[in-house]
Amino acid sequence: MSDGFEIKGKLIEKFDEVQVSDKFKKREFVIETSTSGSDGTIYTEEVKFQLVQNNCDKLNNANIGDNVDVKFNIKGRRWEKDGKTSWFTNLDAWYVNSVGSATTQAPQQTEDSGDKLPF
């Protein structure tokens, strides 16, 4: 079995945990990713994931705007109703690590800081 997939992005939405049935619960969240095209154009994607069962709490320490590292598996399922067949694909996250705020900036240096020591 593979270790799944990994993606990094900015957390832009997180939803409450939903108890789907007596034995199944899930929590969804969305991250924003950006890639650069060969012409320098920035392409932004918004990707929705789900956490299931005991993994639902893995999102508790992440805040909207945080950069996150997500590890996930791709799950697919066939569904038939009224003679019609559909397929569903889910991105099942099993690891979410907040790596800091996307708006965090390095401290700015003032002009007079030069070579002066802070003590």
Side-chain angles (χ1 to χ4, degrees):
M1 184 170 151
S2 76
D3 291 335
F5 300 89
E6 183 172 357
I7 191 169
K8 296 176 190 301
K10 179 174 74 171
L11 182 64
I12 60 170
E13 189 74 52
K14 68 180 189 176
F15 301 96
D16 293 333
E17 184 177 297
V18 175
Q19 189 73 42
V20 177
S21 70
D22 290 342
K23 297 180 181 181
F24 183 73
K25 63 183 178 179
K26 70 178 182 175
R27 185 172 190 187
E28 297 178 326
F29 64 99
V30 180
I31 68 169
E32 179 182 84
T33 63
S34 298
T35 56
S36 297
S38 58
D39 62 353
T41 303
I42 303 293
Y43 297 97
T44 303
E45 302 288 338
E46 295 180 357
V47 183
K48 183 179 78 168
F49 293 88
Q50 71 176 12
L51 295 157
V52 297
Q53 303 301 78
N54 294 335
N55 287 326
C56 290
D57 63 350
K58 302 215 179 205
L59 197 58
N60 291 349
N61 295 326
N63 298 306
I64 300 296
D66 283 357
N67 288 315
V68 292
D69 180 20
V70 180
K71 294 182 181 178
F72 64 99
N73 295 324
I74 299 173
K75 300 284 182 145
R77 167 164 278 168
R78 178 184 183 141
W79 184 66
E80 295 183 25
K81 183 175 182 179
D82 299 329
K84 294 184 179 181
T85 302
S86 297
W87 285 265
F88 294 92
T89 304
N90 288 313
L91 303 178
D92 282 352
W94 46 270
Y95 174 87
V96 179
N97 184 38
S98 178
V99 292
S101 172
T103 58
T104 302
Q105 295 181 352
Q108 302 233 345
Q109 239 183 353
T110 59
E111 287 182 30
D112 66 333
S113 63
D115 292 310
K116 294 181 183 177
L117 296 175
F119 50 89

